[in-house]
PDB file of all heavy atoms in Angstrom:
ATOM      1  N   ALA C 259     -14.697   4.933 -18.189  1.00 71.00           N
ATOM      2  CA  ALA C 259     -14.023   4.842 -19.489  1.00 71.00           C
ATOM      3  C   ALA C 259     -14.912   5.377 -20.607  1.00 71.00           C
ATOM      4  O   ALA C 259     -14.471   6.177 -21.434  1.00 71.00           O
ATOM      5  CB  ALA C 259     -13.626   3.398 -19.762  1.00 71.00           C
ATOM      6  N   MET C 262     -14.936   9.021 -20.787  1.00 71.00           N
ATOM      7  CA  MET C 262     -13.696   9.591 -21.291  1.00 71.00           C
ATOM      8  C   MET C 262     -13.670   9.542 -22.820  1.00 71.00           C
ATOM      9  O   MET C 262     -13.373  10.527 -23.485  1.00 71.00           O
ATOM     10  CB  MET C 262     -12.534   8.798 -20.740  1.00 71.00           C
ATOM     11  CG  MET C 262     -11.223   9.391 -21.141  1.00 71.00           C
ATOM     12  SD  MET C 262      -9.945   8.212 -20.733  1.00 71.00           S
ATOM     13  CE  MET C 262      -8.549   9.114 -21.360  1.00 71.00           C
ATOM     14  N   GLU C 273     -12.093  20.218 -32.131  1.00 62.00           N
ATOM     15  CA  GLU C 273     -10.828  20.479 -32.819  1.00 62.00           C
ATOM     16  C   GLU C 273     -11.051  20.609 -34.328  1.00 62.00           C
ATOM     17  O   GLU C 273     -10.634  21.585 -34.966  1.00 62.00           O
ATOM     18  CB  GLU C 273      -9.860  19.308 -32.583  1.00 62.00           C
ATOM     19  CG  GLU C 273      -9.066  19.417 -31.305  1.00 62.00           C
ATOM     20  CD  GLU C 273      -8.130  20.627 -31.302  1.00 62.00           C
ATOM     21  OE1 GLU C 273      -7.274  20.723 -32.208  1.00 62.00           O
ATOM     22  OE2 GLU C 273      -8.291  21.492 -30.411  1.00 62.00           O
ATOM     23  N   ASN C 283     -20.212  16.399 -45.249  1.00 50.00           N
ATOM     24  CA  ASN C 283     -20.759  15.079 -44.900  1.00 50.00           C
ATOM     25  C   ASN C 283     -20.428  14.724 -43.452  1.00 50.00           C
ATOM     26  O   ASN C 283     -21.178  14.031 -42.789  1.00 50.00           O
ATOM     27  CB  ASN C 283     -20.229  13.999 -45.851  1.00 50.00           C
ATOM     28  CG  ASN C 283     -18.718  14.120 -46.007  1.00 50.00           C
ATOM     29  OD1 ASN C 283     -18.062  14.693 -45.133  1.00 50.00           O
ATOM     30  ND2 ASN C 283     -18.191  13.611 -47.109  1.00 50.00           N
ATOM     31  N   PHE C 284     -19.291  15.246 -42.962  1.00 47.00           N
ATOM     32  CA  PHE C 284     -18.938  14.926 -41.577  1.00 47.00           C
ATOM     33  C   PHE C 284     -19.954  15.530 -40.614  1.00 47.00           C
ATOM     34  O   PHE C 284     -20.335  14.912 -39.633  1.00 47.00           O
ATOM     35  CB  PHE C 284     -17.537  15.436 -41.246  1.00 47.00           C
ATOM     36  CG  PHE C 284     -17.114  15.052 -39.861  1.00 47.00           C
ATOM     37  CD1 PHE C 284     -16.814  13.729 -39.564  1.00 47.00           C
ATOM     38  CD2 PHE C 284     -17.078  15.996 -38.850  1.00 47.00           C
ATOM     39  CE1 PHE C 284     -16.452  13.365 -38.280  1.00 47.00           C
ATOM     40  CE2 PHE C 284     -16.718  15.634 -37.563  1.00 47.00           C
ATOM     41  CZ  PHE C 284     -16.399  14.311 -37.281  1.00 47.00           C
ATOM     42  N   SER C 286     -23.120  16.050 -41.078  1.00 48.00           N
ATOM     43  CA  SER C 286     -24.358  15.249 -41.041  1.00 48.00           C
ATOM     44  C   SER C 286     -24.138  14.022 -40.149  1.00 48.00           C
ATOM     45  O   SER C 286     -24.962  13.682 -39.296  1.00 48.00           O
ATOM     46  CB  SER C 286     -24.733  14.796 -42.449  1.00 48.00           C
ATOM     47  OG  SER C 286     -23.571  14.398 -43.153  1.00 48.00           O
ATOM     48  N   MET C 287     -22.934  13.398 -40.296  1.00 53.00           N
ATOM     49  CA  MET C 287     -22.632  12.246 -39.438  1.00 53.00           C
ATOM     50  C   MET C 287     -22.634  12.687 -37.982  1.00 53.00           C
ATOM     51  O   MET C 287     -23.114  11.996 -37.100  1.00 53.00           O
ATOM     52  CB  MET C 287     -21.271  11.672 -39.833  1.00 53.00           C
ATOM     53  CG  MET C 287     -20.608  10.851 -38.733  1.00 53.00           C
ATOM     54  SD  MET C 287     -19.584  11.914 -37.677  1.00 53.00           S
ATOM     55  CE  MET C 287     -19.290  10.767 -36.321  1.00 53.00           C
ATOM     56  N   VAL C 303     -19.844  -1.046 -26.638  1.00 63.00           N
ATOM     57  CA  VAL C 303     -18.634  -1.622 -27.237  1.00 63.00           C
ATOM     58  C   VAL C 303     -17.538  -1.765 -26.189  1.00 63.00           C
ATOM     59  O   VAL C 303     -16.677  -2.645 -26.262  1.00 63.00           O
ATOM     60  CB  VAL C 303     -18.107  -0.782 -28.424  1.00 63.00           C
ATOM     61  CG1 VAL C 303     -19.056  -0.888 -29.597  1.00 63.00           C
ATOM     62  CG2 VAL C 303     -17.880   0.654 -28.031  1.00 63.00           C
ATOM     63  N   ASN C 310     -13.551  -4.082 -15.665  1.00 62.00           N
ATOM     64  CA  ASN C 310     -12.314  -4.105 -14.883  1.00 62.00           C
ATOM     65  C   ASN C 310     -11.408  -2.922 -15.163  1.00 62.00           C
ATOM     66  O   ASN C 310     -10.304  -2.837 -14.642  1.00 62.00           O
ATOM     67  CB  ASN C 310     -11.511  -5.384 -15.142  1.00 62.00           C
ATOM     68  CG  ASN C 310     -12.322  -6.434 -15.839  1.00 62.00           C
ATOM     69  OD1 ASN C 310     -13.479  -6.213 -16.178  1.00 62.00           O
ATOM     70  ND2 ASN C 310     -11.722  -7.568 -16.090  1.00 62.00           N
ATOM     71  N   MET C 312     -10.286   1.068 -15.098  1.00 76.00           N
ATOM     72  CA  MET C 312     -10.574   2.364 -14.502  1.00 76.00           C
ATOM     73  C   MET C 312      -9.648   3.415 -15.088  1.00 76.00           C
ATOM     74  O   MET C 312      -8.529   3.127 -15.488  1.00 76.00           O
ATOM     75  CB  MET C 312     -10.447   2.310 -12.987  1.00 76.00           C
ATOM     76  CG  MET C 312      -9.095   1.881 -12.476  1.00 76.00           C
ATOM     77  SD  MET C 312      -9.177   1.596 -10.683  1.00 76.00           S
ATOM     78  CE  MET C 312      -7.447   1.225 -10.355  1.00 76.00           C
ATOM     79  N   VAL C 313     -10.159   4.622 -15.183  1.00 81.00           N
ATOM     80  CA  VAL C 313      -9.373   5.757 -15.666  1.00 81.00           C
ATOM     81  C   VAL C 313      -9.203   6.700 -14.490  1.00 81.00           C
ATOM     82  O   VAL C 313     -10.184   7.170 -13.928  1.00 81.00           O
ATOM     83  CB  VAL C 313     -10.092   6.493 -16.809  1.00 81.00           C
ATOM     84  CG1 VAL C 313      -9.207   7.604 -17.351  1.00 81.00           C
ATOM     85  CG2 VAL C 313     -10.476   5.515 -17.903  1.00 81.00           C
ATOM     86  N   THR C 314      -7.970   6.908 -14.098  1.00 81.00           N
ATOM     87  CA  THR C 314      -7.722   7.576 -12.823  1.00 81.00           C
ATOM     88  C   THR C 314      -6.410   8.357 -12.900  1.00 81.00           C
ATOM     89  O   THR C 314      -5.554   8.027 -13.726  1.00 81.00           O
ATOM     90  CB  THR C 314      -7.683   6.501 -11.705  1.00 81.00           C
ATOM     91  OG1 THR C 314      -7.514   7.151 -10.467  1.00 81.00           O
ATOM     92  CG2 THR C 314      -6.565   5.506 -11.910  1.00 81.00           C
ATOM     93  N   PRO C 315      -6.261   9.397 -12.087  1.00 80.00           N
ATOM     94  CA  PRO C 315      -4.996  10.136 -12.100  1.00 80.00           C
ATOM     95  C   PRO C 315      -3.856   9.252 -11.587  1.00 80.00           C
ATOM     96  O   PRO C 315      -4.074   8.408 -10.722  1.00 80.00           O
ATOM     97  CB  PRO C 315      -5.227  11.295 -11.131  1.00 80.00           C
ATOM     98  CG  PRO C 315      -6.705  11.378 -10.933  1.00 80.00           C
ATOM     99  CD  PRO C 315      -7.224   9.991 -11.149  1.00 80.00           C
ATOM    100  N   LYS C 316      -2.635   9.483 -12.127  1.00 76.00           N
ATOM    101  CA  LYS C 316      -1.479   8.665 -11.725  1.00 76.00           C
ATOM    102  C   LYS C 316      -1.225   8.809 -10.231  1.00 76.00           C
ATOM    103  O   LYS C 316      -0.963   7.852  -9.538  1.00 76.00           O
ATOM    104  CB  LYS C 316      -0.234   9.096 -12.519  1.00 76.00           C
ATOM    105  CG  LYS C 316      -0.110   8.448 -13.870  1.00 76.00           C
ATOM    106  CD  LYS C 316       1.344   8.067 -14.189  1.00 76.00           C
ATOM    107  CE  LYS C 316       1.476   7.437 -15.567  1.00 76.00           C
ATOM    108  NZ  LYS C 316       1.562   8.444 -16.648  1.00 76.00           N
TER     109      LYS C 316
ATOM    110  N   ALA B 241      -4.262   6.141 -22.718  1.00 70.00           N
ATOM    111  CA  ALA B 241      -5.628   6.636 -22.881  1.00 70.00           C
ATOM    112  C   ALA B 241      -5.954   6.835 -24.364  1.00 70.00           C
ATOM    113  O   ALA B 241      -7.003   6.406 -24.840  1.00 70.00           O
ATOM    114  CB  ALA B 241      -5.800   7.937 -22.110  1.00 70.00           C
ATOM    115  N   MET B 244      -6.805   3.744 -26.064  1.00 71.00           N
ATOM    116  CA  MET B 244      -8.102   3.208 -25.693  1.00 71.00           C
ATOM    117  C   MET B 244      -9.206   3.916 -26.477  1.00 71.00           C
ATOM    118  O   MET B 244     -10.094   3.281 -27.045  1.00 71.00           O
ATOM    119  CB  MET B 244      -8.322   3.412 -24.205  1.00 71.00           C
ATOM    120  CG  MET B 244      -9.583   2.777 -23.736  1.00 71.00           C
ATOM    121  SD  MET B 244      -9.898   3.365 -22.084  1.00 71.00           S
ATOM    122  CE  MET B 244     -11.441   2.511 -21.798  1.00 71.00           C
ATOM    123  N   GLU B 255     -19.085  -1.786 -35.000  1.00 61.00           N
ATOM    124  CA  GLU B 255     -20.478  -1.958 -34.570  1.00 61.00           C
ATOM    125  C   GLU B 255     -21.436  -1.390 -35.621  1.00 61.00           C
ATOM    126  O   GLU B 255     -22.381  -2.037 -36.058  1.00 61.00           O
ATOM    127  CB  GLU B 255     -20.700  -1.197 -33.248  1.00 61.00           C
ATOM    128  CG  GLU B 255     -20.333  -1.992 -31.999  1.00 61.00           C
ATOM    129  CD  GLU B 255     -21.212  -3.220 -31.832  1.00 61.00           C
ATOM    130  OE1 GLU B 255     -22.443  -3.073 -31.723  1.00 61.00           O
ATOM    131  OE2 GLU B 255     -20.645  -4.337 -31.833  1.00 61.00           O
ATOM    132  N   ASN B 265     -22.313   8.877 -46.161  1.00 50.00           N
ATOM    133  CA  ASN B 265     -21.457  10.011 -45.779  1.00 50.00           C
ATOM    134  C   ASN B 265     -20.563   9.633 -44.602  1.00 50.00           C
ATOM    135  O   ASN B 265     -19.456  10.139 -44.457  1.00 50.00           O
ATOM    136  CB  ASN B 265     -22.300  11.246 -45.436  1.00 50.00           C
ATOM    137  CG  ASN B 265     -23.439  10.884 -44.479  1.00 50.00           C
ATOM    138  OD1 ASN B 265     -23.342   9.857 -43.788  1.00 50.00           O
ATOM    139  ND2 ASN B 265     -24.480  11.675 -44.464  1.00 50.00           N
ATOM    140  N   PHE B 266     -21.032   8.697 -43.771  1.00 48.00           N
ATOM    141  CA  PHE B 266     -20.215   8.319 -42.635  1.00 48.00           C
ATOM    142  C   PHE B 266     -18.943   7.608 -43.109  1.00 48.00           C
ATOM    143  O   PHE B 266     -17.866   7.826 -42.585  1.00 48.00           O
ATOM    144  CB  PHE B 266     -20.993   7.412 -41.680  1.00 48.00           C
ATOM    145  CG  PHE B 266     -20.198   7.073 -40.452  1.00 48.00           C
ATOM    146  CD1 PHE B 266     -19.982   8.027 -39.467  1.00 48.00           C
ATOM    147  CD2 PHE B 266     -19.619   5.826 -40.303  1.00 48.00           C
ATOM    148  CE1 PHE B 266     -19.215   7.736 -38.348  1.00 48.00           C
ATOM    149  CE2 PHE B 266     -18.855   5.524 -39.176  1.00 48.00           C
ATOM    150  CZ  PHE B 266     -18.663   6.484 -38.202  1.00 48.00           C
ATOM    151  N   SER B 268     -17.308   8.082 -45.858  1.00 49.00           N
ATOM    152  CA  SER B 268     -16.324   9.057 -46.358  1.00 49.00           C
ATOM    153  C   SER B 268     -15.590   9.693 -45.189  1.00 49.00           C
ATOM    154  O   SER B 268     -14.363   9.820 -45.178  1.00 49.00           O
ATOM    155  CB  SER B 268     -17.030  10.138 -47.187  1.00 49.00           C
ATOM    156  OG  SER B 268     -18.246  10.507 -46.562  1.00 49.00           O
ATOM    157  N   MET B 269     -16.351  10.017 -44.127  1.00 54.00           N
ATOM    158  CA  MET B 269     -15.710  10.574 -42.934  1.00 54.00           C
ATOM    159  C   MET B 269     -14.711   9.575 -42.364  1.00 54.00           C
ATOM    160  O   MET B 269     -13.614   9.916 -41.965  1.00 54.00           O
ATOM    161  CB  MET B 269     -16.778  10.928 -41.889  1.00 54.00           C
ATOM    162  CG  MET B 269     -16.243  11.056 -40.480  1.00 54.00           C
ATOM    163  SD  MET B 269     -16.329   9.446 -39.626  1.00 54.00           S
ATOM    164  CE  MET B 269     -15.402   9.807 -38.140  1.00 54.00           C
ATOM    165  N   VAL B 285      -5.748  16.128 -28.342  1.00 63.00           N
ATOM    166  CA  VAL B 285      -6.870  16.635 -27.542  1.00 63.00           C
ATOM    167  C   VAL B 285      -6.829  16.070 -26.131  1.00 63.00           C
ATOM    168  O   VAL B 285      -7.263  16.699 -25.173  1.00 63.00           O
ATOM    169  CB  VAL B 285      -8.242  16.309 -28.182  1.00 63.00           C
ATOM    170  CG1 VAL B 285      -8.427  17.098 -29.472  1.00 63.00           C
ATOM    171  CG2 VAL B 285      -8.391  14.821 -28.425  1.00 63.00           C
ATOM    172  N   ASN B 292      -1.428  12.767 -16.553  1.00 62.00           N
ATOM    173  CA  ASN B 292      -1.656  12.167 -15.239  1.00 62.00           C
ATOM    174  C   ASN B 292      -2.706  11.074 -15.260  1.00 62.00           C
ATOM    175  O   ASN B 292      -3.077  10.549 -14.226  1.00 62.00           O
ATOM    176  CB  ASN B 292      -2.078  13.213 -14.214  1.00 62.00           C
ATOM    177  CG  ASN B 292      -1.971  14.627 -14.745  1.00 62.00           C
ATOM    178  OD1 ASN B 292      -1.640  14.845 -15.922  1.00 62.00           O
ATOM    179  ND2 ASN B 292      -2.267  15.575 -13.907  1.00 62.00           N
ATOM    180  N   VAL B 293      -3.214  10.745 -16.437  1.00 71.00           N
ATOM    181  CA  VAL B 293      -4.263   9.730 -16.468  1.00 71.00           C
ATOM    182  C   VAL B 293      -3.693   8.363 -16.792  1.00 71.00           C
ATOM    183  O   VAL B 293      -2.765   8.249 -17.587  1.00 71.00           O
ATOM    184  CB  VAL B 293      -5.335  10.078 -17.525  1.00 71.00           C
ATOM    185  CG1 VAL B 293      -6.300   8.925 -17.708  1.00 71.00           C
ATOM    186  CG2 VAL B 293      -6.078  11.328 -17.108  1.00 71.00           C
ATOM    187  N   MET B 294      -4.228   7.318 -16.155  1.00 76.00           N
ATOM    188  CA  MET B 294      -3.867   5.978 -16.592  1.00 76.00           C
ATOM    189  C   MET B 294      -5.126   5.117 -16.700  1.00 76.00           C
ATOM    190  O   MET B 294      -6.094   5.303 -15.975  1.00 76.00           O
ATOM    191  CB  MET B 294      -2.849   5.351 -15.656  1.00 76.00           C
ATOM    192  CG  MET B 294      -3.305   5.209 -14.236  1.00 76.00           C
ATOM    193  SD  MET B 294      -1.917   4.710 -13.171  1.00 76.00           S
ATOM    194  CE  MET B 294      -2.784   4.514 -11.604  1.00 76.00           C
ATOM    195  N   THR B 296      -6.226   1.282 -16.482  1.00 81.00           N
ATOM    196  CA  THR B 296      -5.621   0.089 -15.895  1.00 81.00           C
ATOM    197  C   THR B 296      -6.714  -0.820 -15.328  1.00 81.00           C
ATOM    198  O   THR B 296      -7.800  -0.340 -15.027  1.00 81.00           O
ATOM    199  CB  THR B 296      -4.616   0.530 -14.793  1.00 81.00           C
ATOM    200  OG1 THR B 296      -3.985  -0.612 -14.293  1.00 81.00           O
ATOM    201  CG2 THR B 296      -5.302   1.298 -13.684  1.00 81.00           C
ATOM    202  N   PRO B 297      -6.435  -2.126 -15.237  1.00 79.00           N
ATOM    203  CA  PRO B 297      -7.446  -3.016 -14.660  1.00 79.00           C
ATOM    204  C   PRO B 297      -7.662  -2.696 -13.185  1.00 79.00           C
ATOM    205  O   PRO B 297      -6.732  -2.282 -12.491  1.00 79.00           O
ATOM    206  CB  PRO B 297      -6.837  -4.415 -14.805  1.00 79.00           C
ATOM    207  CG  PRO B 297      -5.718  -4.275 -15.782  1.00 79.00           C
ATOM    208  CD  PRO B 297      -5.247  -2.857 -15.676  1.00 79.00           C
ATOM    209  N   LYS B 298      -8.891  -2.898 -12.703  1.00 76.00           N
ATOM    210  CA  LYS B 298      -9.213  -2.596 -11.303  1.00 76.00           C
ATOM    211  C   LYS B 298      -8.343  -3.420 -10.361  1.00 76.00           C
ATOM    212  O   LYS B 298      -7.804  -2.926  -9.386  1.00 76.00           O
ATOM    213  CB  LYS B 298     -10.694  -2.889 -11.015  1.00 76.00           C
ATOM    214  CG  LYS B 298     -11.621  -1.745 -11.352  1.00 76.00           C
ATOM    215  CD  LYS B 298     -12.716  -1.568 -10.313  1.00 76.00           C
ATOM    216  CE  LYS B 298     -13.690  -0.457 -10.699  1.00 76.00           C
ATOM    217  NZ  LYS B 298     -14.703  -0.901 -11.683  1.00 76.00           N
TER     218      LYS B 298
END
Side-chain angles (χ1 to χ4, degrees):
Chain C
M262 184 191 178
E273 275 296 302
N283 48 22
F284 183 71
S286 41
M287 158 271 167
V303 290
N310 346 2
M312 58 189 184
V313 184
T314 183
K316 275 220 181 83
Chain B
M244 185 192 178
E255 274 296 300
N265 48 22
F266 183 73
S268 41
M269 160 270 171
V285 292
N292 352 4
V293 171
M294 60 189 184
T296 183
K298 274 220 183 81

